[in-house]
Amino acid sequence: MTGKPAHKQTYRVEGFTCAGCAAKFEKNVQHLEGVVDAKVNFGAAKITVYGETSKESVEKAGAFEGLRLSEDGMRKFEKEKEPFYRRYKHLLASILFILIAYSLPFTGVGHSQFLSTFSFAAAIVVGGYRLFETGFKNLLKFEFDMRTLMTIAIIGAAIIGEWGEGAIVVLLFAISEVLEAYSMDKARESIRSLMDIAPPQALIIRNGSEVVVGAEDIEIGDIMLVKPGQKIAMDGTILEGSSNVNQAAITGESVPVEKFQGETVFAGTLNEEGFLKVQVTKRIEDTTLAKIIHLVEEAQGERAPSQAFVDVFAKYYTPVIMAIALLVAIVPPLLFGADWSIWVYQGLSVLVVGCPCALVISTPVAIVTAIGNAAKNGILIKGGVYLEELGRLKAVAFDKTGTLTKGEPEVTNVIILGEMEEKELMKKMSALEYHSQHPLAHAFLKKAEEMELDYKSCDVFEFRSHTGKGISGIIDGMEYFLGSEKLFADAPSSEMQKLQDEGKTVMVFGVLDTPLAIVGVADEVRDTSSEIIQELHQMGIEQTMMLTGDHEKTARSIGNRIGVKEIKAGLLPQAKLDFVKRYMHSFGKVAMVGDGINDAPALAASTVGIAMGGAGTDTALETADIALMNDDLRKLPYIIRLSRKTLTIIKQNISFAIGIKLLALLLVIPGWLTLWIAIFADMGATLIVTLNGLRLLRIKDRK
């Protein structure tokens, strides 16, 4: 499909038992009249339909599996759960018939053999009718999946008189599907639970009155009242009040954040102390929480490289198993005069043991679980491919400002050269910077406010910006200059050199050629930066680089203090991009960590682009492969550990799923393979790879 049609509808799907059934459902929907394309997201249990068709038609396409659809949205509507006995009545009936069949020979009832066979047959029909319904249709269309294999095996068992084993195979296969469905639901639950974080309603001021309004009906511009201890229902800006807000649900940070008037709050976060009046800025489907849920669910639908391998392998694996089963059934009797019933039975056992359930589920359960775990820890991983690539990283490149440093420059030194007092100097410098757009201007204004200086009342005339040098303006009839040493011929170079060696940006303030003060401005290094770089080296990351547009001396001072192995300064965005490409050529897999805006080209070109502070910027959510929702670099080693563990578990699962099949197939040689062993091998493998994948839920974001 080259272009998506205008009409698109997404549904949540209940009742998936296996990845193979999801693929079958997708194909069925694609063939519906009016449907241009359909895509099933097995990880998130959703289907997106492109084209014009009804919900009923889509649901009918999933009737073979008893699938149920509900409208997609931000609310997790809990349907009344069916009692166990009603939901699995076919399974319970099948067990009852099997117990009757095995007990009849001991009762002394006449025709017990016939009645026993009849009970086994009833168990097969009752327990496997949905299996046969799909299996027969597939057989007629020459589509060979696991249900086709099982159907052939059970029919074959009945033909050669192995009714009991046929019934047990049906029962164990049904139990295997129930366990598989349960485990995938458990993995999905980590994301679905995010939907319940935001409250379903909020207290809103409408027409001068306070009314409780459902979250779906809250509009942009509404005024929301949030009392202490309540969760915030929508994204918005604080109009009145201040409080500590627990943002763990969005950013993964456990320590509450102080929020004041004018600051942003997110849906799903907890107002711990103060009373807040918040103006709503986004509708429910556009909140940061909604975007996180949407992007994570989309990520679960993206096929990881290992999943692509499994899909291709399974495509050829099933026909090969059928061919092997046929050869096992006919070669010994035809060429060596062996007993037909024995070897047909062995061939049927090969069909059952060849069922690729465990192999198909091996990757998705690990990917879905890992992405869900990361999301609950404030990290958005936008696809299985990025999760896997993280585990193979050899080098990590960092932007400096806002990544390794706090991104909040501060005035650290004011060296007075003339007779003007520091307060007067700061007032005049801040008055000039108040008119400036320079990134360092905020540092001066912040310092002036800390000193309680009324710099806004200081009139500045004929303000000018001197490109590459600084700024100037007339205050109290005198023209003042603030900027680089290029503005002053007599600036004391030794004092400036000392500040530069400390990694600070140096500015000079004065009149004409007379400097009055030297100012040191520094962007403070994050407390954790050095610790994180050291931890990455200990984890086996071969190269760490700092790429910055800052001055060489400043960059080298900060880089050496943090401990990165290579420092590149004075770089424009294109130069950063070139360096990332060069590192990828040298090391292979390279991650770029930046703010998601200035570093967009480098983030896009790297193997994995990691954006800082995703909760605050839509750009980071959209452009990066991974977003750290909180500006916390300590999450970086955690996601690399999570990725490596995921890769290990996927390899274990694939190896085990294939290994157990090969081991069971080897039992054919001495003729020891039975239908019991075959189905236990299949069910056991499925259960083990699933439980192994769910171990990823236990990976914590701290050692």
Side-chain angles (χ1 to χ4, degrees), residues 98-132:
I98 289 171
L99 291 174
I100 291 170
Y102 277 115
S103 62
L104 278 169
F106 302 102
T107 61
V109 175
H111 305 290
S112 62
Q113 186 61 45
F114 170 77
L115 291 173
S116 183
T117 301
F118 178 80
S119 290
F120 280 132
I124 290 172
V125 173
V126 172
Y129 72 92
R130 269 181 28 197
L131 164 67
F132 299 137

PDB file of all heavy atoms in Angstrom, residues 98-132:
ATOM      1  N   ILE A  98     -13.194 -36.899  29.051  1.00  0.00           N
ATOM      2  CA  ILE A  98     -11.962 -37.695  29.127  1.00  0.00           C
ATOM      3  C   ILE A  98     -11.941 -38.526  30.415  1.00  0.00           C
ATOM      4  O   ILE A  98     -11.578 -39.710  30.398  1.00  0.00           O
ATOM      5  CB  ILE A  98     -10.721 -36.776  29.045  1.00  0.00           C
ATOM      6  CG1 ILE A  98     -10.574 -36.215  27.620  1.00  0.00           C
ATOM      7  CG2 ILE A  98      -9.444 -37.528  29.438  1.00  0.00           C
ATOM      8  CD1 ILE A  98      -9.527 -35.137  27.472  1.00  0.00           C
ATOM      9  N   LEU A  99     -12.356 -37.907  31.533  1.00  0.00           N
ATOM     10  CA  LEU A  99     -12.406 -38.636  32.809  1.00  0.00           C
ATOM     11  C   LEU A  99     -13.399 -39.796  32.744  1.00  0.00           C
ATOM     12  O   LEU A  99     -13.134 -40.901  33.238  1.00  0.00           O
ATOM     13  CB  LEU A  99     -12.796 -37.678  33.946  1.00  0.00           C
ATOM     14  CG  LEU A  99     -11.749 -36.615  34.325  1.00  0.00           C
ATOM     15  CD1 LEU A  99     -12.317 -35.642  35.354  1.00  0.00           C
ATOM     16  CD2 LEU A  99     -10.475 -37.277  34.860  1.00  0.00           C
ATOM     17  N   ILE A 100     -14.553 -39.551  32.109  1.00  0.00           N
ATOM     18  CA  ILE A 100     -15.559 -40.619  31.944  1.00  0.00           C
ATOM     19  C   ILE A 100     -14.973 -41.754  31.109  1.00  0.00           C
ATOM     20  O   ILE A 100     -15.120 -42.944  31.444  1.00  0.00           O
ATOM     21  CB  ILE A 100     -16.846 -40.060  31.282  1.00  0.00           C
ATOM     22  CG1 ILE A 100     -17.566 -39.121  32.251  1.00  0.00           C
ATOM     23  CG2 ILE A 100     -17.773 -41.197  30.838  1.00  0.00           C
ATOM     24  CD1 ILE A 100     -18.703 -38.327  31.618  1.00  0.00           C
ATOM     25  N   ALA A 101     -14.301 -41.379  30.009  1.00  0.00           N
ATOM     26  CA  ALA A 101     -13.737 -42.388  29.101  1.00  0.00           C
ATOM     27  C   ALA A 101     -12.716 -43.274  29.801  1.00  0.00           C
ATOM     28  O   ALA A 101     -12.698 -44.495  29.613  1.00  0.00           O
ATOM     29  CB  ALA A 101     -13.095 -41.689  27.906  1.00  0.00           C
ATOM     30  N   TYR A 102     -11.859 -42.675  30.643  1.00  0.00           N
ATOM     31  CA  TYR A 102     -10.833 -43.467  31.334  1.00  0.00           C
ATOM     32  C   TYR A 102     -11.410 -44.295  32.490  1.00  0.00           C
ATOM     33  O   TYR A 102     -10.848 -45.325  32.867  1.00  0.00           O
ATOM     34  CB  TYR A 102      -9.726 -42.547  31.864  1.00  0.00           C
ATOM     35  CG  TYR A 102      -8.685 -42.212  30.813  1.00  0.00           C
ATOM     36  CD1 TYR A 102      -8.523 -40.904  30.363  1.00  0.00           C
ATOM     37  CD2 TYR A 102      -7.880 -43.210  30.273  1.00  0.00           C
ATOM     38  CE1 TYR A 102      -7.579 -40.600  29.396  1.00  0.00           C
ATOM     39  CE2 TYR A 102      -6.935 -42.909  29.304  1.00  0.00           C
ATOM     40  CZ  TYR A 102      -6.776 -41.610  28.864  1.00  0.00           C
ATOM     41  OH  TYR A 102      -5.845 -41.315  27.895  1.00  0.00           O
ATOM     42  N   SER A 103     -12.526 -43.841  33.046  1.00  0.00           N
ATOM     43  CA  SER A 103     -13.102 -44.567  34.184  1.00  0.00           C
ATOM     44  C   SER A 103     -14.040 -45.700  33.768  1.00  0.00           C
ATOM     45  O   SER A 103     -14.265 -46.633  34.546  1.00  0.00           O
ATOM     46  CB  SER A 103     -13.853 -43.588  35.099  1.00  0.00           C
ATOM     47  OG  SER A 103     -14.927 -42.989  34.403  1.00  0.00           O
ATOM     48  N   LEU A 104     -14.590 -45.643  32.558  1.00  0.00           N
ATOM     49  CA  LEU A 104     -15.571 -46.650  32.105  1.00  0.00           C
ATOM     50  C   LEU A 104     -15.064 -48.090  32.186  1.00  0.00           C
ATOM     51  O   LEU A 104     -15.807 -48.976  32.643  1.00  0.00           O
ATOM     52  CB  LEU A 104     -16.044 -46.329  30.684  1.00  0.00           C
ATOM     53  CG  LEU A 104     -17.159 -45.282  30.579  1.00  0.00           C
ATOM     54  CD1 LEU A 104     -17.366 -44.842  29.140  1.00  0.00           C
ATOM     55  CD2 LEU A 104     -18.465 -45.832  31.160  1.00  0.00           C
ATOM     56  N   PRO A 105     -13.808 -48.380  31.753  1.00  0.00           N
ATOM     57  CA  PRO A 105     -13.354 -49.779  31.815  1.00  0.00           C
ATOM     58  C   PRO A 105     -13.351 -50.365  33.231  1.00  0.00           C
ATOM     59  O   PRO A 105     -13.383 -51.579  33.398  1.00  0.00           O
ATOM     60  CB  PRO A 105     -11.927 -49.700  31.257  1.00  0.00           C
ATOM     61  CG  PRO A 105     -11.927 -48.497  30.390  1.00  0.00           C
ATOM     62  CD  PRO A 105     -12.832 -47.527  31.081  1.00  0.00           C
ATOM     63  N   PHE A 106     -13.328 -49.497  34.240  1.00  0.00           N
ATOM     64  CA  PHE A 106     -13.278 -49.989  35.623  1.00  0.00           C
ATOM     65  C   PHE A 106     -14.669 -50.121  36.262  1.00  0.00           C
ATOM     66  O   PHE A 106     -14.799 -50.540  37.394  1.00  0.00           O
ATOM     67  CB  PHE A 106     -12.426 -49.049  36.488  1.00  0.00           C
ATOM     68  CG  PHE A 106     -11.024 -48.879  35.978  1.00  0.00           C
ATOM     69  CD1 PHE A 106     -10.654 -47.729  35.285  1.00  0.00           C
ATOM     70  CD2 PHE A 106     -10.070 -49.877  36.169  1.00  0.00           C
ATOM     71  CE1 PHE A 106      -9.361 -47.570  34.805  1.00  0.00           C
ATOM     72  CE2 PHE A 106      -8.779 -49.714  35.704  1.00  0.00           C
ATOM     73  CZ  PHE A 106      -8.422 -48.568  35.010  1.00  0.00           C
ATOM     74  N   THR A 107     -15.692 -49.714  35.527  1.00  0.00           N
ATOM     75  CA  THR A 107     -17.045 -49.730  36.100  1.00  0.00           C
ATOM     76  C   THR A 107     -17.770 -51.044  35.881  1.00  0.00           C
ATOM     77  O   THR A 107     -18.775 -51.316  36.535  1.00  0.00           O
ATOM     78  CB  THR A 107     -17.893 -48.592  35.494  1.00  0.00           C
ATOM     79  OG1 THR A 107     -17.985 -48.793  34.075  1.00  0.00           O
ATOM     80  CG2 THR A 107     -17.294 -47.235  35.813  1.00  0.00           C
ATOM     81  N   GLY A 108     -17.306 -51.850  34.909  1.00  0.00           N
ATOM     82  CA  GLY A 108     -17.981 -53.111  34.599  1.00  0.00           C
ATOM     83  C   GLY A 108     -19.216 -52.932  33.743  1.00  0.00           C
ATOM     84  O   GLY A 108     -19.997 -53.871  33.525  1.00  0.00           O
ATOM     85  N   VAL A 109     -19.432 -51.735  33.236  1.00  0.00           N
ATOM     86  CA  VAL A 109     -20.583 -51.459  32.365  1.00  0.00           C
ATOM     87  C   VAL A 109     -20.375 -52.163  31.023  1.00  0.00           C
ATOM     88  O   VAL A 109     -19.262 -52.184  30.487  1.00  0.00           O
ATOM     89  CB  VAL A 109     -20.743 -49.930  32.147  1.00  0.00           C
ATOM     90  CG1 VAL A 109     -21.858 -49.634  31.157  1.00  0.00           C
ATOM     91  CG2 VAL A 109     -20.995 -49.245  33.468  1.00  0.00           C
ATOM     92  N   GLY A 110     -21.458 -52.708  30.467  1.00  0.00           N
ATOM     93  CA  GLY A 110     -21.359 -53.386  29.178  1.00  0.00           C
ATOM     94  C   GLY A 110     -21.009 -52.417  28.067  1.00  0.00           C
ATOM     95  O   GLY A 110     -21.369 -51.231  28.122  1.00  0.00           O
ATOM     96  N   HIS A 111     -20.324 -52.917  27.052  1.00  0.00           N
ATOM     97  CA  HIS A 111     -19.880 -52.107  25.904  1.00  0.00           C
ATOM     98  C   HIS A 111     -19.002 -50.928  26.360  1.00  0.00           C
ATOM     99  O   HIS A 111     -19.038 -49.839  25.778  1.00  0.00           O
ATOM    100  CB  HIS A 111     -21.067 -51.569  25.104  1.00  0.00           C
ATOM    101  CG  HIS A 111     -22.025 -52.623  24.645  1.00  0.00           C
ATOM    102  ND1 HIS A 111     -21.699 -53.535  23.673  1.00  0.00           N
ATOM    103  CD2 HIS A 111     -23.301 -52.911  25.052  1.00  0.00           C
ATOM    104  CE1 HIS A 111     -22.737 -54.357  23.481  1.00  0.00           C
ATOM    105  NE2 HIS A 111     -23.722 -54.004  24.321  1.00  0.00           N
ATOM    106  N   SER A 112     -18.254 -51.142  27.415  1.00  0.00           N
ATOM    107  CA  SER A 112     -17.436 -50.055  27.968  1.00  0.00           C
ATOM    108  C   SER A 112     -16.412 -49.548  26.957  1.00  0.00           C
ATOM    109  O   SER A 112     -16.101 -48.353  26.923  1.00  0.00           O
ATOM    110  CB  SER A 112     -16.729 -50.508  29.246  1.00  0.00           C
ATOM    111  OG  SER A 112     -15.842 -51.570  28.982  1.00  0.00           O
ATOM    112  N   GLN A 113     -15.893 -50.447  26.101  1.00  0.00           N
ATOM    113  CA  GLN A 113     -14.897 -50.025  25.105  1.00  0.00           C
ATOM    114  C   GLN A 113     -15.520 -49.040  24.117  1.00  0.00           C
ATOM    115  O   GLN A 113     -14.941 -48.008  23.798  1.00  0.00           O
ATOM    116  CB  GLN A 113     -14.351 -51.252  24.366  1.00  0.00           C
ATOM    117  CG  GLN A 113     -13.201 -50.947  23.399  1.00  0.00           C
ATOM    118  CD  GLN A 113     -11.989 -50.363  24.116  1.00  0.00           C
ATOM    119  OE1 GLN A 113     -11.586 -50.872  25.168  1.00  0.00           O
ATOM    120  NE2 GLN A 113     -11.419 -49.300  23.582  1.00  0.00           N
ATOM    121  N   PHE A 114     -16.741 -49.390  23.646  1.00  0.00           N
ATOM    122  CA  PHE A 114     -17.442 -48.512  22.697  1.00  0.00           C
ATOM    123  C   PHE A 114     -17.771 -47.171  23.355  1.00  0.00           C
ATOM    124  O   PHE A 114     -17.566 -46.105  22.767  1.00  0.00           O
ATOM    125  CB  PHE A 114     -18.726 -49.196  22.214  1.00  0.00           C
ATOM    126  CG  PHE A 114     -19.623 -48.274  21.429  1.00  0.00           C
ATOM    127  CD1 PHE A 114     -19.328 -47.945  20.114  1.00  0.00           C
ATOM    128  CD2 PHE A 114     -20.742 -47.694  22.035  1.00  0.00           C
ATOM    129  CE1 PHE A 114     -20.152 -47.065  19.408  1.00  0.00           C
ATOM    130  CE2 PHE A 114     -21.553 -46.819  21.325  1.00  0.00           C
ATOM    131  CZ  PHE A 114     -21.262 -46.512  20.009  1.00  0.00           C
ATOM    132  N   LEU A 115     -18.299 -47.231  24.589  1.00  0.00           N
ATOM    133  CA  LEU A 115     -18.673 -46.001  25.298  1.00  0.00           C
ATOM    134  C   LEU A 115     -17.450 -45.131  25.596  1.00  0.00           C
ATOM    135  O   LEU A 115     -17.515 -43.898  25.547  1.00  0.00           O
ATOM    136  CB  LEU A 115     -19.389 -46.347  26.606  1.00  0.00           C
ATOM    137  CG  LEU A 115     -20.782 -46.958  26.466  1.00  0.00           C
ATOM    138  CD1 LEU A 115     -21.301 -47.414  27.809  1.00  0.00           C
ATOM    139  CD2 LEU A 115     -21.749 -45.952  25.836  1.00  0.00           C
ATOM    140  N   SER A 116     -16.317 -45.802  25.897  1.00  0.00           N
ATOM    141  CA  SER A 116     -15.081 -45.076  26.163  1.00  0.00           C
ATOM    142  C   SER A 116     -14.625 -44.330  24.908  1.00  0.00           C
ATOM    143  O   SER A 116     -14.255 -43.148  24.972  1.00  0.00           O
ATOM    144  CB  SER A 116     -14.006 -46.049  26.629  1.00  0.00           C
ATOM    145  OG  SER A 116     -12.824 -45.364  26.962  1.00  0.00           O
ATOM    146  N   THR A 117     -14.663 -45.042  23.778  1.00  0.00           N
ATOM    147  CA  THR A 117     -14.281 -44.407  22.500  1.00  0.00           C
ATOM    148  C   THR A 117     -15.212 -43.242  22.179  1.00  0.00           C
ATOM    149  O   THR A 117     -14.778 -42.177  21.727  1.00  0.00           O
ATOM    150  CB  THR A 117     -14.319 -45.439  21.355  1.00  0.00           C
ATOM    151  OG1 THR A 117     -13.420 -46.502  21.664  1.00  0.00           O
ATOM    152  CG2 THR A 117     -13.916 -44.801  20.025  1.00  0.00           C
ATOM    153  N   PHE A 118     -16.507 -43.451  22.450  1.00  0.00           N
ATOM    154  CA  PHE A 118     -17.497 -42.389  22.191  1.00  0.00           C
ATOM    155  C   PHE A 118     -17.197 -41.157  23.054  1.00  0.00           C
ATOM    156  O   PHE A 118     -17.286 -40.023  22.587  1.00  0.00           O
ATOM    157  CB  PHE A 118     -18.908 -42.913  22.483  1.00  0.00           C
ATOM    158  CG  PHE A 118     -19.980 -41.880  22.280  1.00  0.00           C
ATOM    159  CD1 PHE A 118     -20.455 -41.582  21.004  1.00  0.00           C
ATOM    160  CD2 PHE A 118     -20.498 -41.173  23.368  1.00  0.00           C
ATOM    161  CE1 PHE A 118     -21.429 -40.607  20.825  1.00  0.00           C
ATOM    162  CE2 PHE A 118     -21.462 -40.194  23.193  1.00  0.00           C
ATOM    163  CZ  PHE A 118     -21.935 -39.917  21.911  1.00  0.00           C
ATOM    164  N   SER A 119     -16.829 -41.391  24.320  1.00  0.00           N
ATOM    165  CA  SER A 119     -16.515 -40.269  25.230  1.00  0.00           C
ATOM    166  C   SER A 119     -15.266 -39.521  24.776  1.00  0.00           C
ATOM    167  O   SER A 119     -15.211 -38.280  24.831  1.00  0.00           O
ATOM    168  CB  SER A 119     -16.311 -40.781  26.656  1.00  0.00           C
ATOM    169  OG  SER A 119     -17.526 -41.201  27.207  1.00  0.00           O
ATOM    170  N   PHE A 120     -14.249 -40.262  24.325  1.00  0.00           N
ATOM    171  CA  PHE A 120     -13.044 -39.604  23.793  1.00  0.00           C
ATOM    172  C   PHE A 120     -13.394 -38.753  22.569  1.00  0.00           C
ATOM    173  O   PHE A 120     -12.911 -37.629  22.414  1.00  0.00           O
ATOM    174  CB  PHE A 120     -11.993 -40.646  23.414  1.00  0.00           C
ATOM    175  CG  PHE A 120     -11.196 -41.177  24.577  1.00  0.00           C
ATOM    176  CD1 PHE A 120     -10.999 -42.549  24.744  1.00  0.00           C
ATOM    177  CD2 PHE A 120     -10.625 -40.320  25.504  1.00  0.00           C
ATOM    178  CE1 PHE A 120     -10.257 -43.040  25.811  1.00  0.00           C
ATOM    179  CE2 PHE A 120      -9.879 -40.802  26.582  1.00  0.00           C
ATOM    180  CZ  PHE A 120      -9.703 -42.167  26.732  1.00  0.00           C
ATOM    181  N   ALA A 121     -14.241 -39.324  21.688  1.00  0.00           N
ATOM    182  CA  ALA A 121     -14.661 -38.601  20.476  1.00  0.00           C
ATOM    183  C   ALA A 121     -15.406 -37.320  20.857  1.00  0.00           C
ATOM    184  O   ALA A 121     -15.201 -36.260  20.263  1.00  0.00           O
ATOM    185  CB  ALA A 121     -15.541 -39.498  19.608  1.00  0.00           C
ATOM    186  N   ALA A 122     -16.289 -37.441  21.881  1.00  0.00           N
ATOM    187  CA  ALA A 122     -17.033 -36.264  22.343  1.00  0.00           C
ATOM    188  C   ALA A 122     -16.070 -35.210  22.896  1.00  0.00           C
ATOM    189  O   ALA A 122     -16.230 -34.007  22.655  1.00  0.00           O
ATOM    190  CB  ALA A 122     -18.040 -36.677  23.415  1.00  0.00           C
ATOM    191  N   ALA A 123     -15.040 -35.662  23.622  1.00  0.00           N
ATOM    192  CA  ALA A 123     -14.035 -34.739  24.171  1.00  0.00           C
ATOM    193  C   ALA A 123     -13.304 -34.007  23.050  1.00  0.00           C
ATOM    194  O   ALA A 123     -13.037 -32.801  23.142  1.00  0.00           O
ATOM    195  CB  ALA A 123     -13.040 -35.501  25.040  1.00  0.00           C
ATOM    196  N   ILE A 124     -12.996 -34.755  21.975  1.00  0.00           N
ATOM    197  CA  ILE A 124     -12.298 -34.150  20.835  1.00  0.00           C
ATOM    198  C   ILE A 124     -13.171 -33.091  20.170  1.00  0.00           C
ATOM    199  O   ILE A 124     -12.721 -31.975  19.886  1.00  0.00           O
ATOM    200  CB  ILE A 124     -11.896 -35.238  19.809  1.00  0.00           C
ATOM    201  CG1 ILE A 124     -10.769 -36.111  20.386  1.00  0.00           C
ATOM    202  CG2 ILE A 124     -11.456 -34.609  18.491  1.00  0.00           C
ATOM    203  CD1 ILE A 124     -10.435 -37.327  19.545  1.00  0.00           C
ATOM    204  N   VAL A 125     -14.444 -33.426  19.935  1.00  0.00           N
ATOM    205  CA  VAL A 125     -15.358 -32.505  19.237  1.00  0.00           C
ATOM    206  C   VAL A 125     -15.645 -31.271  20.096  1.00  0.00           C
ATOM    207  O   VAL A 125     -15.555 -30.137  19.624  1.00  0.00           O
ATOM    208  CB  VAL A 125     -16.681 -33.224  18.866  1.00  0.00           C
ATOM    209  CG1 VAL A 125     -17.686 -32.222  18.305  1.00  0.00           C
ATOM    210  CG2 VAL A 125     -16.412 -34.323  17.858  1.00  0.00           C
ATOM    211  N   VAL A 126     -15.973 -31.488  21.374  1.00  0.00           N
ATOM    212  CA  VAL A 126     -16.332 -30.368  22.262  1.00  0.00           C
ATOM    213  C   VAL A 126     -15.125 -29.461  22.526  1.00  0.00           C
ATOM    214  O   VAL A 126     -15.221 -28.232  22.476  1.00  0.00           O
ATOM    215  CB  VAL A 126     -16.895 -30.893  23.603  1.00  0.00           C
ATOM    216  CG1 VAL A 126     -17.071 -29.743  24.594  1.00  0.00           C
ATOM    217  CG2 VAL A 126     -18.219 -31.584  23.386  1.00  0.00           C
ATOM    218  N   GLY A 127     -13.979 -30.061  22.813  1.00  0.00           N
ATOM    219  CA  GLY A 127     -12.794 -29.271  23.149  1.00  0.00           C
ATOM    220  C   GLY A 127     -12.095 -28.651  21.959  1.00  0.00           C
ATOM    221  O   GLY A 127     -11.370 -27.671  22.101  1.00  0.00           O
ATOM    222  N   GLY A 128     -12.321 -29.224  20.782  1.00  0.00           N
ATOM    223  CA  GLY A 128     -11.552 -28.759  19.627  1.00  0.00           C
ATOM    224  C   GLY A 128     -12.344 -28.225  18.464  1.00  0.00           C
ATOM    225  O   GLY A 128     -11.800 -28.057  17.366  1.00  0.00           O
ATOM    226  N   TYR A 129     -13.652 -27.916  18.695  1.00  0.00           N
ATOM    227  CA  TYR A 129     -14.465 -27.483  17.545  1.00  0.00           C
ATOM    228  C   TYR A 129     -13.941 -26.203  16.899  1.00  0.00           C
ATOM    229  O   TYR A 129     -13.941 -26.058  15.671  1.00  0.00           O
ATOM    230  CB  TYR A 129     -15.945 -27.345  17.936  1.00  0.00           C
ATOM    231  CG  TYR A 129     -16.271 -26.172  18.822  1.00  0.00           C
ATOM    232  CD1 TYR A 129     -16.667 -24.943  18.289  1.00  0.00           C
ATOM    233  CD2 TYR A 129     -16.190 -26.281  20.209  1.00  0.00           C
ATOM    234  CE1 TYR A 129     -16.958 -23.866  19.096  1.00  0.00           C
ATOM    235  CE2 TYR A 129     -16.478 -25.205  21.034  1.00  0.00           C
ATOM    236  CZ  TYR A 129     -16.864 -24.005  20.477  1.00  0.00           C
ATOM    237  OH  TYR A 129     -17.144 -22.935  21.295  1.00  0.00           O
ATOM    238  N   ARG A 130     -13.450 -25.226  17.728  1.00  0.00           N
ATOM    239  CA  ARG A 130     -12.911 -23.984  17.155  1.00  0.00           C
ATOM    240  C   ARG A 130     -11.604 -24.244  16.426  1.00  0.00           C
ATOM    241  O   ARG A 130     -11.321 -23.656  15.382  1.00  0.00           O
ATOM    242  CB  ARG A 130     -12.691 -22.948  18.265  1.00  0.00           C
ATOM    243  CG  ARG A 130     -13.923 -22.091  18.443  1.00  0.00           C
ATOM    244  CD  ARG A 130     -13.845 -21.023  19.476  1.00  0.00           C
ATOM    245  NE  ARG A 130     -12.535 -20.467  19.773  1.00  0.00           N
ATOM    246  CZ  ARG A 130     -12.317 -19.771  20.876  1.00  0.00           C
ATOM    247  NH1 ARG A 130     -13.275 -19.590  21.772  1.00  0.00           N
ATOM    248  NH2 ARG A 130     -11.133 -19.263  21.105  1.00  0.00           N
ATOM    249  N   LEU A 131     -10.816 -25.154  16.978  1.00  0.00           N
ATOM    250  CA  LEU A 131      -9.553 -25.555  16.338  1.00  0.00           C
ATOM    251  C   LEU A 131      -9.830 -26.171  14.977  1.00  0.00           C
ATOM    252  O   LEU A 131      -9.210 -25.813  13.977  1.00  0.00           O
ATOM    253  CB  LEU A 131      -8.825 -26.554  17.242  1.00  0.00           C
ATOM    254  CG  LEU A 131      -7.691 -27.383  16.631  1.00  0.00           C
ATOM    255  CD1 LEU A 131      -6.523 -26.492  16.263  1.00  0.00           C
ATOM    256  CD2 LEU A 131      -7.246 -28.470  17.596  1.00  0.00           C
ATOM    257  N   PHE A 132     -10.814 -27.101  14.924  1.00  0.00           N
ATOM    258  CA  PHE A 132     -11.122 -27.795  13.664  1.00  0.00           C
ATOM    259  C   PHE A 132     -11.739 -26.848  12.644  1.00  0.00           C
ATOM    260  O   PHE A 132     -11.492 -26.956  11.451  1.00  0.00           O
ATOM    261  CB  PHE A 132     -12.074 -28.971  13.921  1.00  0.00           C
ATOM    262  CG  PHE A 132     -11.517 -30.010  14.850  1.00  0.00           C
ATOM    263  CD1 PHE A 132     -12.301 -30.582  15.845  1.00  0.00           C
ATOM    264  CD2 PHE A 132     -10.193 -30.403  14.750  1.00  0.00           C
ATOM    265  CE1 PHE A 132     -11.780 -31.526  16.720  1.00  0.00           C
ATOM    266  CE2 PHE A 132      -9.661 -31.345  15.619  1.00  0.00           C
ATOM    267  CZ  PHE A 132     -10.452 -31.905  16.605  1.00  0.00           C
TER     268      PHE A 132
END
